[in-house]
Amino acid sequence: MKKTVIFFLISFALALLNGYFFNYINDTFFHLEINQNKNPNISENELNFIAIFAAPFLETFIFQYIPYLILNKWIGIKNKAFCILIMSIIFSSMHYYNWLYIVMTFFGGLILNNLYVYYRKHSFKYSFILTVLFHSLFNLYGFLFIM
C-alpha cells in the first residue's frame, strides 16, 4: 500500500512539473491560445465539471484501458514501455488544441499511462479507479491553480 501511495505522489509531482514547464514555455515564448472551450453552448462551469469528473473516466477507458487491452492482451505486446508510448501518442493526439498542448499531453500521457500500467501490475483491482482519481485530481489542480 505504501509503495502505491508513493508512486501516486511522485507521478502527481511529475505531472504538475510537466504542466508548469509547458505553461512557462508557452507564456515566455509562444503565447498560444489555451482556452479549450470552443463551444459557445457550454458554460465555463460545465466545461470544468466535464474536465474534472467526466473526462478522466472516459479518457481512462478510451486511452488507457482499451489500448492496453488491445496491445497487451489481444496483440500480445509484452513490452510495457512500447505500450505506454503508443498509448501516450493516442492520448496526446486527441488533445489537439495547439501543437504545444499536444507535446505537453504526450509527456503527461507518459506519466498517466505509466501510472496505469504500474497499477495494473501491482493493484490490478484498483488500476482503473486510481488512474481516474489521478487524472481528476490533476484536472482539479489545473482548474484551481492554473486557469
Side-chain angles (χ1 to χ4, degrees):
M1 177 67 175
K2 184 179 177 182
K3 283 184 179 182
T4 301
V5 172
I6 290 171
F7 192 77
F8 189 94
L9 294 174
I10 290 170
S11 297
F12 197 74
L14 289 172
L16 292 179
L17 286 173
N18 178 60
Y20 278 115
F21 174 75
F22 281 100
N23 277 326
Y24 172 78
I25 295 296
N26 186 45
D27 291 345
T28 304
F29 300 107
F30 300 109
H31 310 290
L32 298 170
E33 177 66 38
I34 59 169
N35 182 7
Q36 301 162 8
N37 187 5
K38 303 290 187 216
N39 188 335
N41 298 324
I42 298 177
S43 73
E44 195 68 31
N45 288 336
E46 290 169 326
L47 184 66
N48 290 329
F49 177 83
I50 291 167
I52 295 167
F53 297 106
F57 181 83
L58 291 172
E59 288 182 354
T60 299
F61 184 74
I62 294 169
F63 301 123
Q64 277 91 32
Y65 178 80
I66 290 176
Y68 194 71
L69 180 69
I70 291 169
L71 292 168
N72 189 260
K73 300 294 181 190
W74 294 355
I75 296 175
I77 297 172
K78 300 300 177 195
N79 184 330
K80 289 179 175 51
F82 183 73
C83 289
I84 290 168
L85 181 68
I86 296 301
M87 292 160 58
S88 298
I89 290 170
I90 295 167
F91 180 72
S92 65
S93 70
M94 298 312 293
H95 291 82
Y96 50 85
Y97 307 115
N98 62 58
W99 69 269
L100 188 61
Y101 197 80
I102 293 170
V103 174
M104 182 188 78
T105 54
F106 171 76
F107 286 106
L110 289 175
I111 296 164
L112 195 62
N113 293 320
N114 186 52
L115 182 95
Y116 178 76
V117 169
Y118 175 86
Y119 284 143
R120 288 231 2 148
K121 181 178 180 185
H122 297 289
S123 57
F124 178 79
K125 195 158 83 170
Y126 303 106
S127 59
F128 186 86
I129 196 66
L130 288 170
T131 306
V132 169
L133 177 64
F134 180 94
H135 197 160
S136 293
L137 289 173
F138 180 77
N139 288 358
L140 177 63
Y141 183 89
F143 166 70
L144 293 175
F145 299 107
I146 306 297
M147 296 298 183

